[in-house]
Amino acid sequence: MTTATPPNGKAPTGPTPAILDGSTPTDLLPTTGNYPVEVVRYQSVVLTDIPGAKPPRKLTGAIDLGEENLPFYDRPAEGMIITTEQSWSVQGVTLGRLLHSLALAPGESTRVAVVDWERRTLGAGTEKTAEADLLSSKTDQDRSITEVANTIASEQQHGYSIMQEQSKSTSGGGGAGISLFGLNIGGSGSHSSNSGFATNVARTTGVRTAAGQTAQQISARTQQVATAARSRHMTVVRETSQKEREQVTTRVVTNYNHMHALSVQYYEVVQVYQVSTQPVLAERCLFIPLQELSFTYNNLQRYKEMLAKVAPPEWAKRIREANPLDTTVRKADGCTAAEAPALQAFEGVDLLDIGGSSMGVYGVRRLDGAPLRFDPAARQWQPMSTAGLPAGGLKRIAPGKNTVWAIRPDNAIVIFDGTTWRNDPAGGIALAIASGSDGTTYHVGLTNGSVYQRAGDGWTLVPIEADDIAVVNSERMWYSKQGRTWERTGTTSTERTPAPGIVRMTAGPDGTIWGVTKDNKLMMVEVGATAWTPGKIGTVSLGSVPFGKVVAAAGGEFWVMTDKGALLRALTTPREALVPFDDAPPPESGWPSKIEVWWDDAGIRSIRLVIPGHTFRCGDTSGSGVQQRGAYEFKAGEKLLSVDYWTGTAARGSLAGLRLTMQSGMVSFGPAGGIDTPDQTDDAGGAALCGLFGSTVKAGSRTYIAGLGVYLRGGKVPQAVLDHLNDNRRYYSQAVWANADELTLSRVLANYSYTPPGSKADPVPLGVLLDPKPIAATGNYLGFRWNFTSETERLDWLKARSDDSTTLGKTVTAKVGIATNGVFAEAVLGRANAAEKIDLTRFWNWKESPIPILPTDIAPVATGTRSQDVDVKVSQLAASEARFQQLQAVPDPTGMEAAMRALANANLFRDMSGFAQMSEMLGKGITAAAGNDQAAAQRANEAMKTAAEHQQKMGALAVEAMSKVIPGGQVTGSLTGLGGMLNQGKNGASDSAAAATEPAAKP
């Protein structure tokens, strides 16, 4: 609103009327592009990082898509859920394609009808029909007929016949004709007569006998079985959708210009949009790796319907029919411990030093000095903790009774307390160290090889010098110096000769002293002996192994380290024969109530299973040796999911550990029961433990379980179904993961936690941070929304990604044209305006001279449906081919029938009277007389025909004569025409005569 200003420039003192006719307000003007007309948002899930993942293989060639051993994801991965917004803003309209051009001449008018129709028909059908017919038929016939027929026929006859015949025939005929120029008459006549007399006398006598005998025997037995087995499995899905639209528009287009042509051009109207795409929201997500499922009797019931949906039809039917609730007793495969080899090489293990005692066998890795320990249950070298060790690790190791001693590369003595390496409180410095079975420890110092003995928390100098030492106990030790060796008992040292040049030595748990010479040969001092002899390890042949060091362990186990650090394990105690046992459960056995297991440090000694009304125990029942005991009481109806077995070295191979995984949890038995990776796992499939089988083995005075298997009472499912599921477990596992319910996922996630790399926050269960509804699945990853513990954490996470503009992406803008249903018409007059210029010098009042040319009417525009019927009928089954066969008729008896036909024959006796011949002769006479009459009539007709033909020829000659008299020679084919011609000839002749007598006209 504006106000008027007075000419003096001063503001008015009172109110001034507003100027009503100002500029148009901008908010009333229509504009485009200010606001989007449509906003679309969509989400993308991306995997951004796999912390701690192994580097992928370098791509240097073609990739084999059929490679089966590709690893799955084995650690959690982080990702983002990016919400992208796409907005569509109207920018305006423009002209698109030229759809139609209408050209009109000056003054031309036309009618245009536009019919726009559209029909969409969608039909989908799936039909599968299977039919089967089975027909079986068997026919036997049994019939016996015997018939005898005798027939006699006699006949005697006498008679005579007299016949007289007389015939006469007369015939006549004539013909006449009259022609124009004469008369012609023709005729004929004939006469015939015949007479005859015949007498016949006949006498006939005849006797005929017909005898027939028929013996017919037919065996016929009829047994028909018709079975029609009709099987039909049909799935019919018919989905039909029809949509039809029709629009009719009529218009009249006229060019009112009399001097110029007019063209009307129709263009497609295009709507122009500006499309902007930009990320507006980012959420973090966590990808959880899942293990492939091993399908069992237990989880088949849980996932049965889910698996059947994704299985092929033939397997889906078998999966649905499997009923794990039907109970049956089955025998699991069980675990049989293979006999440990007498000599075993450990490839890939390169040691700098090795040591052994009752604590086990330890080593120092040559590569980095890391400490290792041999795990007898897993039969692998496992790394030990390196906490407290500086870079470089260790160079010597010596396990004792309860302590592991070691020497660092800087010669400092360190002690392992079970979790951490710590420096020797006494600050010992040594070149070599050894510990006996009772814990007595010596080391060789740096100064002239002085030997020190551990006393309390310090070291006491021993008045000897050595290069290496071997300690048996506090009362006995051996040491070497420059190839010479001494045995020290108490405080007395005695040199043992001859000196074989020993440079390294160790002591076995039984007191045997092992030594290696400078040229890498093995020597030994047996228990009770004082002289060195060539070394031997039981009956194991080591060949020409270049020895570096030998360590003896309990149970007849020896470890040989070569001069290059390679390892050999030798077992000298042979395994005795296995003693099998088998406790098959009775059919009426119930659920187990308790299981007890006894074991020692080497393996499992005995197992007892208690079932109400039945108890079974296998193994060492005498309880010899120090044993530990474990027991588990089963809950009512509790099922066993799986059984894990570990094997050890006791008795050259036995059961070292046993773990039962129940519905309520896991229970482990034996020295190796806590190791994560078992040697073998049997799938119990959610069944009940109801029996044991296996074998035992003796090792000295002790008995161990060599192999073990279990009897299970549980689900009855065809093994072929389980094999199919497990052979394709990756495919079926992905189907289970993708369809897992939120309750199951929430229960599982609540047992795990995850902390991002670099985060100092306390671990929080994933069940609290993750939305249990999956948002993505790839490989064996299942992605979940990952919530933040605080707003600060969320802002820090967003800031770290917003600083990098490439993380979330930039805004992208583009113009998009979309064709509409609108049409724009543009009229063009020649190459100028669409209407002629008004010129008063020309005639312009078209009402005085209307345009006479009008367009012709077009047919009425009619609308009608163009829909088509879609056949959704189910095809009928074909007619069954299973039906009874028509029985073949048994032939009737023929003997009696032939005899009766012989008697019933009318011409049984021959006619001897000659009556037939006489009748024939008399008939011929009558025929001859009648024939003469017919011949006379025929000759009369021929005479008549001759006269008629003569008359026709005479008429033709008369017509030909008249044609010469008539002018022009015109002849008609009828008598009336002939008469007209004659009259015309007369008129023509008179006219010609008059013309001759009339004078000629003057010019």
Side-chain angles (χ1 to χ4, degrees):
M1 180 181 294
T2 60
T3 57
T5 302
N8 58 10
K10 296 181 180 180
T13 57
T16 303
I19 300 176
L20 299 177
D21 294 332
S23 58
T24 303
T26 57
D27 58 338
L28 298 181
L29 294 176
T31 58
T32 59
N34 292 339
Y35 302 99
V37 297
E38 186 174 0
V39 177
V40 180
R41 290 183 176 91
Y42 58 90
Q43 291 183 338
S44 302
V45 181
V46 295
L47 193 153
T48 58
D49 185 27
I50 307 178
K54 298 179 181 179
R57 291 183 288 182
K58 186 177 181 181
L59 182 59
T60 57
I63 297 177
D64 181 12
L65 292 179
E67 186 174 354
E68 296 291 341
N69 297 322
L70 289 174
F72 263 12
Y73 298 114
D74 59 353
R75 59 190 65 246
E78 299 179 8
M80 287 192 299
I81 309 170
I82 301 177
T83 302
T84 303
E85 180 182 272
Q86 189 178 77
S87 59
W88 294 66
S89 302
V90 178
Q91 297 298 301
V93 295
T94 184
L95 298 182
R97 298 175 300 166
L98 178 63
L99 301 177
H100 181 65
S101 178
L102 177 62
L104 298 174
E108 183 180 0
S109 179
T110 185
R111 284 189 174 96
V112 178
V114 179
V115 180
D116 183 11
W117 69 274
E118 178 184 4
R119 184 182 73 248
R120 295 182 181 180
T121 301
L122 175 63
T126 300
E127 180 176 339
K128 181 179 180 181
T129 304
E131 299 182 16
D133 284 347
L134 177 62
L135 178 64
S136 177
S137 177
K138 181 180 180 181
T139 302
D140 293 333
Q141 293 184 346
D142 192 357
R143 180 175 176 181
S144 179
I145 296 177
T146 302
E147 45 183 343
V148 179
N150 294 316
T151 303
I152 300 176
S154 301
E155 180 179 357
Q156 183 175 0
Q157 58 184 0
H158 172 75
Y160 66 93
S161 60
I162 300 174
M163 181 178 294
Q164 183 177 0
E165 177 265 333
Q166 184 176 0
S167 60
K168 181 179 182 181
S169 175
T170 303
S171 61
I178 301 174
S179 63
L180 184 60
F181 298 101
L183 177 64
N184 182 37
I185 299 175
S188 65
S190 66
H191 175 78
S192 176
S193 63
N194 184 32
S195 62
F197 178 82
T199 301
N200 180 37
V201 179
R203 182 182 182 89
T204 303
T205 302
V207 178
R208 175 169 291 185
T209 301
Q213 181 176 355
T214 301
Q216 183 185 75
Q217 184 174 359
I218 300 177
S219 297
R221 177 177 299 171
T222 302
Q223 178 182 359
Q224 288 193 350
V225 178
T227 302
R230 305 284 284 173
S231 174
R232 180 171 185 172
H233 175 74
M234 177 176 290
T235 301
V236 180
V237 178
R238 294 289 188 272
E239 180 180 355
T240 304
S241 174
Q242 288 191 354
K243 180 179 180 182
E244 185 170 343
R245 180 183 63 85
E246 185 172 7
Q247 181 179 1
V248 180
T249 305
T250 61
R251 303 188 69 178
V252 177
V253 183
T254 305
N255 181 11
Y256 282 97
N257 301 286
H258 283 59
M259 302 297 295
H260 294 81
L262 177 67
S263 295
V264 182
Q265 297 174 347
Y266 295 88
Y267 292 90
E268 182 182 46
V269 177
V270 177
Q271 181 78 54
V272 180
Y273 294 90
Q274 178 174 304
V275 182
S276 298
T277 304
Q278 61 179 352
V280 295
L281 179 63
E283 305 172 81
R284 70 174 182 176
C285 60
L286 187 64
F287 289 89
I288 305 298
L290 300 175
Q291 289 185 356
E292 291 182 350
L293 296 174
S294 294
F295 293 97
T296 64
Y297 297 88
N298 186 39
N299 58 22
L300 178 60
Q301 177 65 21
R302 182 178 181 182
Y303 304 122
K304 183 170 69 172
E305 191 59 33
M306 193 182 306
L307 297 173
K309 288 181 179 180
V310 299
E314 60 273 13
W315 283 105
K317 181 176 182 295
R318 300 180 67 177
I319 291 174
R320 287 190 174 95
E321 291 176 350
N323 187 6
L325 299 180
D326 292 343
T327 59
T328 183
V329 175
R330 62 186 178 91
K331 193 175 184 180
D333 293 338
C335 173
T336 300
E339 183 177 3
L343 185 64
Q344 182 181 8
F346 284 81
E347 298 180 357
V349 182
D350 187 8
L351 298 185
L352 181 65
D353 189 31
I354 190 173
S357 70
S358 59
M359 297 180 64
V361 181
Y362 296 78
V364 176
R365 190 159 54 195
R366 183 184 297 271
L367 177 63
D368 53 5
L372 304 175
R373 183 181 184 277
F374 180 73
D375 188 342
R379 296 187 297 278
Q380 294 179 350
W381 285 89
Q382 305 287 357
M384 296 174 60
S385 173
T386 57
L389 287 180
L394 306 173
K395 71 173 185 179
R396 298 289 292 269
I397 194 167
K401 181 179 180 181
N402 299 313
T403 304
V404 178
W405 300 85
I407 301 176
R408 297 191 320 213
D410 59 357
N411 297 324
I413 299 176
V414 292
I415 305 172
F416 185 66
D417 60 5
T419 58
T420 305
W421 294 90
R422 56 185 178 85
N423 294 331
D424 178 18
I429 304 296
L431 295 175
I433 192 168
S435 184
S437 59
D438 57 357
T440 302
T441 305
Y442 291 81
H443 80 259
V444 178
L446 299 181
T447 305
N448 298 325
S450 300
V451 177
Y452 297 86
Q453 182 180 4
R454 187 70 174 182
D457 293 334
W459 297 97
T460 301
L461 179 63
V462 179
I464 57 176
E465 295 179 356
D467 294 330
D468 199 8
I469 53 178
V471 180
V472 177
N473 48 44
S474 60
E475 298 296 328
R476 181 167 176 254
M477 66 166 291
W478 282 66
Y479 61 95
S480 66
K481 181 67 173 179
Q482 297 179 352
R484 299 167 60 188
T485 58
W486 286 265
E487 179 183 6
R488 181 178 175 86
T489 304
T491 59
T492 303
S493 297
T494 304
E495 183 177 5
R496 299 304 182 185
T497 56
I502 302 296
V503 294
R504 299 194 68 174
M505 52 178 27
T506 57
D510 59 350
T512 303
I513 304 299
W514 301 87
V516 177
T517 64
K518 186 177 181 180
D519 56 355
N520 300 320
K521 293 181 179 180
L522 180 65
M523 304 295 291
M524 63 181 299
V525 178
E526 298 186 41
V527 178
T530 58
W532 292 94
T533 57
K536 61 179 181 178
I537 302 177
T539 59
V540 179
S541 174
L542 298 177
S544 57
V545 174
F547 292 89
K549 193 174 182 180
V550 174
V551 172
E557 180 178 350
F558 293 86
W559 287 88
V560 177
M561 186 183 75
T562 67
D563 60 339
K564 303 297 183 181
L567 282 180
L568 297 172
R569 184 177 70 161
L571 299 175
T572 60
T573 305
R575 183 165 76 169
E576 295 186 2
L578 303 181
V579 179
F581 62 87
D582 193 339
D583 179 41
E588 65 280 359
S589 64
W591 293 78
S593 58
K594 186 177 182 180
I595 186 173
E596 296 176 283
V597 181
W598 288 264
W599 70 88
D600 58 20
D601 293 340
I604 294 179
R605 304 279 301 279
S606 178
I607 300 176
R608 181 169 62 182
L609 179 65
V610 179
I611 299 176
H614 180 74
T615 301
F616 174 77
R617 180 168 179 174
C618 59
D620 191 354
T621 59
S622 62
S624 61
V626 179
Q627 298 184 33
Q628 302 181 43
R629 174 184 172 274
Y632 179 78
E633 294 185 1
F634 298 95
K635 299 179 178 60
E638 188 175 16
K639 294 182 179 180
L640 178 65
L641 302 181
S642 63
V643 184
D644 298 320
Y645 306 93
W646 287 267
T647 57
T649 58
R652 290 284 299 274
S654 64
L655 193 64
L658 176 66
R659 181 171 67 194
L660 305 179
T661 303
M662 312 298 300
Q663 288 179 320
S664 59
M666 295 185 298
V667 56
S668 299
F669 307 101
I675 298 177
D676 292 336
T677 305
D679 293 338
Q680 184 175 338
T681 300
D682 278 344
D683 181 17
L689 180 63
C690 58
L692 302 174
F693 68 93
S695 59
T696 60
V697 62
K698 280 187 170 293
S701 61
R702 300 181 180 180
T703 301
Y704 292 91
I705 305 297
L708 182 66
V710 296
Y711 284 97
L712 301 169
R713 183 184 300 278
K716 183 179 182 181
V717 176
Q719 187 61 37
V721 174
L722 294 178
D723 292 342
H724 169 73
L725 295 174
N726 288 308
D727 291 342
N728 304 276
R729 65 181 60 190
R730 180 167 299 182
Y731 169 76
Y732 287 109
S733 296
Q734 290 174 339
V736 172
W737 300 335
N739 294 278
D741 60 277
E742 298 181 15
L743 179 61
T744 300
L745 294 174
S746 179
R747 180 176 60 84
V748 173
L749 295 175
N751 293 277
Y752 296 91
S753 64
Y754 174 74
T755 303
S759 175
K760 298 181 180 179
D762 295 333
V764 179
L766 292 178
V768 178
L769 295 178
L770 299 185
D771 182 358
K773 184 177 181 180
I775 58 170
T778 175
N780 65 319
Y781 267 151
L782 209 58
F784 302 89
R785 276 188 169 84
W786 185 12
N787 302 321
F788 295 95
T789 58
S790 63
E791 181 65 16
T792 302
E793 183 183 4
R794 187 184 70 84
L795 294 176
D796 293 342
W797 184 84
L798 288 175
K799 184 178 183 302
R801 282 148 184 81
S802 61
D803 292 342
D804 182 6
S805 60
T806 62
T807 302
L808 300 180
K810 299 180 180 180
T811 301
V812 178
T813 303
K815 291 189 184 311
V816 178
I818 299 178
T820 66
N821 292 330
V823 178
F824 179 83
E826 178 72 27
V828 179
L829 182 63
R831 298 177 63 85
N833 295 326
E836 290 178 337
K837 183 178 181 181
I838 297 177
D839 190 350
L840 297 179
T841 62
R842 298 181 181 181
F843 185 84
W844 59 270
N845 191 354
W846 309 118
K847 294 181 180 179
E848 298 178 0
S849 179
I851 296 173
I853 303 175
L854 296 176
T856 59
D857 290 338
I858 62 177
V861 178
T863 61
T865 180
R866 297 173 177 83
S867 64
Q868 297 178 354
D869 294 336
V870 179
D871 184 15
V872 294
K873 296 180 180 179
V874 180
S875 60
Q876 300 296 326
L877 285 175
S880 175
E881 295 296 333
R883 58 177 62 89
F884 288 108
Q885 299 292 334
Q886 185 68 28
L887 294 179
Q888 184 177 1
V890 178
D892 294 330
T894 59
M896 185 67 71
E897 181 181 359
M900 295 303 296
R901 281 201 305 266
L903 292 177
N905 189 359
N907 299 320
L908 181 63
F909 299 98
R910 187 179 61 182
D911 183 11
M912 299 181 297
S913 64
F915 179 78
Q917 290 80 1
M918 183 184 67
S919 299
E920 182 179 358
M921 180 183 64
L922 294 177
K924 288 181 179 180
I926 297 173
T927 303
N932 295 332
D933 184 18
Q934 294 176 0
Q938 183 176 3
R939 286 191 293 271
N941 289 335
E942 290 177 356
M944 182 94 174
K945 180 177 179 183
T946 301
E949 290 177 355
H950 176 73
Q951 184 180 4
Q952 290 179 0
K953 291 180 180 180
M954 293 302 292
L957 292 174
V959 172
E960 182 179 0
M962 292 301 296
S963 64
K964 296 180 180 180
V965 180
I966 299 174
Q970 298 180 357
V971 180
T972 62
S974 64
L975 296 178
T976 303
L978 180 60
M981 292 178 186
L982 295 176
N983 294 332
Q984 179 64 29
K986 294 178 181 179
N987 295 335
S990 60
D991 292 342
S992 300
T997 60
E998 195 175 17
K1002 297 181 180 180

